[in-house]
Amino acid sequence: MELVAGCYEQVLFGFAARPAESWTVVPDFTHHAHSASLSAVAVNNRYVVTGSRDETIQIYDMKKKIEHGALLQHDGTITCLEFYGTAHLLSGAEDGLICIWNTKRWECLKSIRAHKGHVTSLSIHPSGKLALSVGTDKTLRTWNLVEGRSAFIKNLKQNAHIIKWSPDGERYVTVVTNKVDIYKLDTASITGTITTEKRISSLRFITDSILAIAGDDEMIRFYSCDSQKCLCEFKAHENRIKDIYSFEREGQHVIVTASSDGYIKMWNLNLNKIKDVPSLLCEVNTKARLTCLAVWLDQASEMKENCDKDATSSQANEDEKLSIVRKKKVCWTDKSDKTAKRSRKIIPEKQKLEAPLQKKKKKQNSST
């Protein structure tokens, strides 16, 4: 398992996280990933991709621990990245485009003029048939990925900067400054609103009905989507929290947080006692101003997580959905979009990710 985080200082950090009697986090690599600050990061079962203010998307093969290449389709800061399964990546940027990438050949299959302003956030429905996006043109747009077109446009009173589907795909949320609007899929209407004192910088569904919300303060808060009540709040960092990630491993719910104070922290959440403050599992100080965070699970970890029959069944259903999406080529590809394929760039020289600076210093000291 690898914790990956980007920062203002243009560096991508990798920390190997190992569960034992107590969790341990060990520096694995540091890599000067971009020529400007990192703004987004996403993971699938093999790759980590990062977006930056330098207008590029960098690809890293985590199994081989090498830099795999760069994608140069966008003009403007990369604002959001999201994988769908193992075959596709969606990216959004300040140029107003949403690009759909094939992760086998790393080709831009389709480039969509999504918003008149910047694309600020996007989210793919669990089925892979729909996607949502919000932008600085004060619109929320629904995309029919099966037919490759805009399905619905909703005008918003203000610019939303986060949008997210729930795990079951039955609801979605938008964030405007310090306000979270909760929508129901079948009616596309707001069923409730959560308001916080500070601007919200990150949001994550812990379950289908529980949200973890963090923002421009040191607190993490858990809210019920049904009642919109705060279930629990606790001080997690010494500065504003920039990103939250969550995953489940062997029945244990883990929340990972990254803050401007430079720390990445892992927390154990007991869903049966949601009102109790999560316990701190471990922490690491990157000594950088963190901006984005993700957790890459290696294949061995995923096999352990999916060893029971229910997980195997759900994975089979997901594979079936993916095969349906791939067969409908209109959804993911546009053969007339030749500029997209010309614009892509894969770096031929595959450079290894650098070992942490601490290890390098030890080698230098031993040699002297």
Side-chain angles (χ1 to χ4, degrees):
M1 184 184 303
E2 199 92 17
L3 310 183
V4 289
C7 63
Y8 283 109
E9 288 79 9
Q10 308 167 15
V11 174
L12 176 68
F13 295 98
F15 296 92
R18 298 288 180 265
E21 292 182 3
S22 61
W23 282 79
T24 57
V25 177
V26 180
D28 191 23
F29 67 83
T30 57
H31 183 67
H32 194 279
H34 292 270
S35 60
S37 61
L38 277 74
S39 52
V41 61
V43 299
N44 70 0
N45 66 335
R46 178 166 183 174
Y47 295 103
V48 168
V49 292
T50 58
S52 168
R53 292 183 180 276
D54 66 9
E55 306 181 356
T56 69
I57 300 169
Q58 298 289 340
I59 313 163
Y60 305 94
D61 187 325
M62 293 300 290
K63 292 184 178 180
K64 296 181 180 179
K65 292 293 176 67
I66 59 172
E67 183 180 1
H68 190 70
L71 306 175
L72 306 178
Q73 177 67 11
H74 289 287
D75 293 319
T77 297
I78 310 300
T79 55
C80 43
L81 296 164
E82 185 167 328
F83 279 103
Y84 180 72
T86 59
H88 298 98
L89 169 74
L90 267 66
S91 62
E94 288 185 349
D95 56 9
L97 296 179
I98 290 178
C99 293
I100 301 171
W101 304 89
N102 177 299
T103 61
K104 304 298 181 184
R105 299 181 302 274
W106 290 108
E107 292 178 341
C108 183
L109 302 177
K110 192 171 183 66
S111 181
I112 303 170
R113 177 62 61 180
H115 291 270
K116 294 180 180 178
H118 304 167
V119 179
T120 53
S121 182
L122 63 84
S123 185
I124 307 170
H125 189 269
S127 69
K129 297 177 181 179
L130 293 174
L132 297 173
S133 67
V134 288
T136 55
D137 55 2
K138 296 182 181 179
T139 63
L140 185 163
R141 296 176 184 253
T142 304
W143 302 96
N144 183 329
L145 295 179
V146 175
E147 299 180 6
R149 61 176 179 82
S150 176
F152 182 74
I153 301 174
K154 179 179 176 61
N155 293 317
L156 304 175
K157 293 181 180 179
Q158 294 175 282
N159 292 326
H161 62 280
I162 298 175
I163 191 159
K164 191 82 68 177
W165 283 105
S166 63
D168 62 4
E170 294 298 319
R171 67 180 102 201
Y172 55 92
V173 297
T174 62
V175 179
V176 177
T177 313
N178 65 329
K179 185 179 71 171
V180 181
D181 285 329
I182 304 166
Y183 290 81
K184 199 172 180 181
L185 174 61
D186 54 3
T187 60
S189 59
I190 297 175
T191 60
T193 299
I194 297 169
T195 304
T196 62
E197 292 184 4
K198 300 286 187 177
R199 183 182 185 274
I200 297 169
S201 58
S202 182
L203 174 150
R204 180 74 55 170
F205 275 95
I206 303 302
T207 68
D208 294 324
S209 60
I210 298 177
L211 282 170
I213 297 175
D216 288 351
D217 58 13
E218 308 86 8
M219 308 294 290
I220 291 178
R221 296 174 176 88
F222 300 125
Y223 283 90
S224 166
C225 291
D226 299 320
S227 66
Q228 295 87 55
K229 292 183 178 179
C230 183
L231 304 174
C232 175
E233 66 176 14
F234 65 100
K235 182 179 179 180
H237 290 270
E238 297 300 323
N239 208 326
R240 61 182 177 175
I241 299 167
K242 297 296 292 184
D243 210 350
I244 307 174
Y245 204 91
S246 66
F247 63 93
E248 184 179 349
R249 192 177 191 279
E250 298 179 358
Q252 185 180 33
H253 291 267
V254 179
I255 297 173
V256 189
T257 58
S259 168
S260 296
D261 63 12
Y263 277 88
I264 299 173
K265 297 185 179 184
M266 298 180 69
W267 308 84
N268 179 35
L269 174 63
N270 187 342
L271 290 177
N272 295 323
K273 299 179 180 178
I274 190 65
K275 294 184 178 180
D276 294 347
V277 174
S279 58
L280 180 64
L281 295 171
C282 58
E283 62 182 32
V284 60
N285 187 3
T286 65
K287 298 181 180 179
R289 295 172 296 167
L290 299 176
T291 57
C292 50
L293 170 74
V295 177
W296 178 78
L297 299 171
D298 58 28
Q299 191 173 10
S301 296
E302 290 185 0
M303 287 176 66
K304 287 181 181 179
E305 286 184 304
N306 299 322
C307 62
D308 58 80
K309 293 181 180 179
D310 291 338
T312 304
S313 176
S314 64
Q315 184 63 44
N317 291 336
E318 191 66 26
D319 291 341
E320 184 180 353
K321 291 173 183 176
L322 278 169
S323 65
I324 292 172
V325 171
R326 290 187 187 120
K327 288 177 183 177
K328 296 178 182 287
K329 293 187 177 180
V330 178
C331 162
W332 298 103
T333 184
D334 185 354
K335 293 181 180 178
S336 65
D337 194 356
K338 296 179 181 178
T339 57
K341 294 185 179 181
R342 283 203 302 269
S343 299
R344 77 180 178 97
K345 176 187 177 184
I346 296 295
I347 299 174
E349 295 183 5
K350 297 182 179 181
Q351 302 175 351
K352 288 187 177 181
L353 298 180
E354 301 167 1
L357 298 176
Q358 295 175 349
K359 292 183 180 179
K360 287 187 174 182
K361 288 181 180 179
K362 287 181 180 179
K363 288 183 179 180
Q364 289 175 356
N365 293 335
S366 62
S367 62
T368 56

mmCIF file of all heavy atoms in Angstrom, residues 274-290:
data_model
loop_
_atom_site.group_PDB
_atom_site.id
_atom_site.type_symbol
_atom_site.label_atom_id
_atom_site.label_comp_id
_atom_site.label_asym_id
_atom_site.label_seq_id
_atom_site.Cartn_x
_atom_site.Cartn_y
_atom_site.Cartn_z
ATOM 1 N N ILE A 274 -19.822 5.754 15.412
ATOM 2 C CA ILE A 274 -19.485 6.884 14.561
ATOM 3 C C ILE A 274 -19.348 8.187 15.354
ATOM 4 O O ILE A 274 -18.644 9.112 14.937
ATOM 5 C CB ILE A 274 -20.535 7.043 13.439
ATOM 6 C CG1 ILE A 274 -20.082 8.064 12.393
ATOM 7 C CG2 ILE A 274 -21.894 7.411 14.003
ATOM 8 C CD1 ILE A 274 -18.862 7.650 11.626
ATOM 9 N N LYS A 275 -19.980 8.252 16.510
ATOM 10 C CA LYS A 275 -19.897 9.470 17.319
ATOM 11 C C LYS A 275 -18.594 9.563 18.106
ATOM 12 O O LYS A 275 -18.271 10.615 18.657
ATOM 13 C CB LYS A 275 -21.095 9.555 18.271
ATOM 14 C CG LYS A 275 -22.430 9.741 17.541
ATOM 15 C CD LYS A 275 -23.583 9.922 18.516
ATOM 16 C CE LYS A 275 -24.898 10.143 17.770
ATOM 17 N NZ LYS A 275 -26.040 10.331 18.698
ATOM 18 N N ASP A 276 -17.843 8.464 18.152
ATOM 19 C CA ASP A 276 -16.553 8.473 18.833
ATOM 20 C C ASP A 276 -15.475 9.034 17.902
ATOM 21 O O ASP A 276 -15.486 8.799 16.690
ATOM 22 C CB ASP A 276 -16.153 7.059 19.266
ATOM 23 C CG ASP A 276 -17.082 6.503 20.343
ATOM 24 O OD1 ASP A 276 -17.868 7.298 20.909
ATOM 25 O OD2 ASP A 276 -17.021 5.287 20.606
ATOM 26 N N VAL A 277 -14.526 9.741 18.484
ATOM 27 C CA VAL A 277 -13.429 10.304 17.694
ATOM 28 C C VAL A 277 -12.548 9.177 17.174
ATOM 29 O O VAL A 277 -12.160 8.289 17.931
ATOM 30 C CB VAL A 277 -12.588 11.270 18.563
ATOM 31 C CG1 VAL A 277 -11.353 11.741 17.797
ATOM 32 C CG2 VAL A 277 -13.431 12.458 18.995
ATOM 33 N N PRO A 278 -12.228 9.162 15.884
ATOM 34 C CA PRO A 278 -11.354 8.117 15.336
ATOM 35 C C PRO A 278 -9.985 8.124 16.019
ATOM 36 O O PRO A 278 -9.483 9.168 16.438
ATOM 37 C CB PRO A 278 -11.229 8.498 13.859
ATOM 38 C CG PRO A 278 -12.415 9.338 13.577
ATOM 39 C CD PRO A 278 -12.704 10.077 14.839
ATOM 40 N N SER A 279 -9.387 6.953 16.121
ATOM 41 C CA SER A 279 -8.070 6.847 16.750
ATOM 42 C C SER A 279 -6.975 7.013 15.704
ATOM 43 O O SER A 279 -7.099 6.543 14.561
ATOM 44 C CB SER A 279 -7.919 5.495 17.454
ATOM 45 O OG SER A 279 -8.106 4.431 16.541
ATOM 46 N N LEU A 280 -5.904 7.689 16.083
ATOM 47 C CA LEU A 280 -4.783 7.932 15.179
ATOM 48 C C LEU A 280 -3.950 6.660 15.039
ATOM 49 O O LEU A 280 -3.461 6.112 16.031
ATOM 50 C CB LEU A 280 -3.919 9.077 15.695
ATOM 51 C CG LEU A 280 -2.700 9.456 14.845
ATOM 52 C CD1 LEU A 280 -3.139 9.980 13.483
ATOM 53 C CD2 LEU A 280 -1.840 10.499 15.574
ATOM 54 N N LEU A 281 -3.779 6.188 13.806
ATOM 55 C CA LEU A 281 -2.989 4.979 13.555
ATOM 56 C C LEU A 281 -1.514 5.302 13.392
ATOM 57 O O LEU A 281 -0.649 4.624 13.952
ATOM 58 C CB LEU A 281 -3.508 4.262 12.307
ATOM 59 C CG LEU A 281 -4.927 3.694 12.380
ATOM 60 C CD1 LEU A 281 -5.377 3.200 11.006
ATOM 61 C CD2 LEU A 281 -4.988 2.557 13.386
ATOM 62 N N CYS A 282 -1.218 6.334 12.602
ATOM 63 C CA CYS A 282 0.172 6.746 12.384
ATOM 64 C C CYS A 282 0.177 8.084 11.654
ATOM 65 O O CYS A 282 -0.855 8.552 11.159
ATOM 66 C CB CYS A 282 0.942 5.696 11.589
ATOM 67 S SG CYS A 282 0.201 5.323 9.981
ATOM 68 N N GLU A 283 1.345 8.690 11.583
ATOM 69 C CA GLU A 283 1.489 9.972 10.898
ATOM 70 C C GLU A 283 2.904 10.107 10.357
ATOM 71 O O GLU A 283 3.830 9.443 10.824
ATOM 72 C CB GLU A 283 1.176 11.133 11.845
ATOM 73 C CG GLU A 283 2.099 11.219 13.035
ATOM 74 C CD GLU A 283 1.742 12.342 13.978
ATOM 75 O OE1 GLU A 283 0.538 12.665 14.107
ATOM 76 O OE2 GLU A 283 2.663 12.909 14.596
ATOM 77 N N VAL A 284 3.054 10.986 9.366
ATOM 78 C CA VAL A 284 4.375 11.256 8.808
ATOM 79 C C VAL A 284 4.436 12.721 8.396
ATOM 80 O O VAL A 284 3.459 13.278 7.887
ATOM 81 C CB VAL A 284 4.669 10.331 7.603
ATOM 82 C CG1 VAL A 284 3.653 10.536 6.481
ATOM 83 C CG2 VAL A 284 6.075 10.535 7.084
ATOM 84 N N ASN A 285 5.565 13.351 8.631
ATOM 85 C CA ASN A 285 5.753 14.765 8.307
ATOM 86 C C ASN A 285 6.526 14.888 7.000
ATOM 87 O O ASN A 285 7.690 14.491 6.908
ATOM 88 C CB ASN A 285 6.518 15.472 9.425
ATOM 89 C CG ASN A 285 6.589 16.981 9.207
ATOM 90 O OD1 ASN A 285 6.021 17.508 8.253
ATOM 91 N ND2 ASN A 285 7.286 17.672 10.092
ATOM 92 N N THR A 286 5.885 15.407 5.960
ATOM 93 C CA THR A 286 6.539 15.571 4.658
ATOM 94 C C THR A 286 7.352 16.858 4.584
ATOM 95 O O THR A 286 8.153 17.035 3.658
ATOM 96 C CB THR A 286 5.499 15.601 3.532
ATOM 97 O OG1 THR A 286 4.671 16.764 3.675
ATOM 98 C CG2 THR A 286 4.628 14.355 3.566
ATOM 99 N N LYS A 287 7.103 17.782 5.521
ATOM 100 C CA LYS A 287 7.758 19.089 5.543
ATOM 101 C C LYS A 287 7.500 19.869 4.250
ATOM 102 O O LYS A 287 8.355 20.602 3.763
ATOM 103 C CB LYS A 287 9.260 18.936 5.787
ATOM 104 C CG LYS A 287 9.587 18.294 7.128
ATOM 105 C CD LYS A 287 11.078 18.172 7.346
ATOM 106 C CE LYS A 287 11.377 17.523 8.699
ATOM 107 N NZ LYS A 287 12.825 17.367 8.923
ATOM 108 N N ALA A 288 6.300 19.682 3.701
ATOM 109 C CA ALA A 288 5.898 20.383 2.479
ATOM 110 C C ALA A 288 4.455 20.849 2.636
ATOM 111 O O ALA A 288 3.729 20.381 3.509
ATOM 112 C CB ALA A 288 6.036 19.472 1.269
ATOM 113 N N ARG A 289 4.055 21.779 1.780
ATOM 114 C CA ARG A 289 2.673 22.261 1.804
ATOM 115 C C ARG A 289 1.830 21.372 0.880
ATOM 116 O O ARG A 289 1.796 21.578 -0.328
ATOM 117 C CB ARG A 289 2.622 23.718 1.356
ATOM 118 C CG ARG A 289 3.342 24.675 2.286
ATOM 119 C CD ARG A 289 3.422 26.060 1.682
ATOM 120 N NE ARG A 289 4.235 26.056 0.464
ATOM 121 C CZ ARG A 289 4.268 27.074 -0.413
ATOM 122 N NH1 ARG A 289 3.514 28.152 -0.204
ATOM 123 N NH2 ARG A 289 5.037 27.002 -1.488
ATOM 124 N N LEU A 290 1.166 20.416 1.466
ATOM 125 C CA LEU A 290 0.453 19.406 0.695
ATOM 126 C C LEU A 290 -0.793 19.980 0.027
ATOM 127 O O LEU A 290 -1.456 20.867 0.572
ATOM 128 C CB LEU A 290 0.076 18.234 1.602
ATOM 129 C CG LEU A 290 1.256 17.507 2.259
ATOM 130 C CD1 LEU A 290 0.756 16.435 3.216
ATOM 131 C CD2 LEU A 290 2.169 16.886 1.206
#
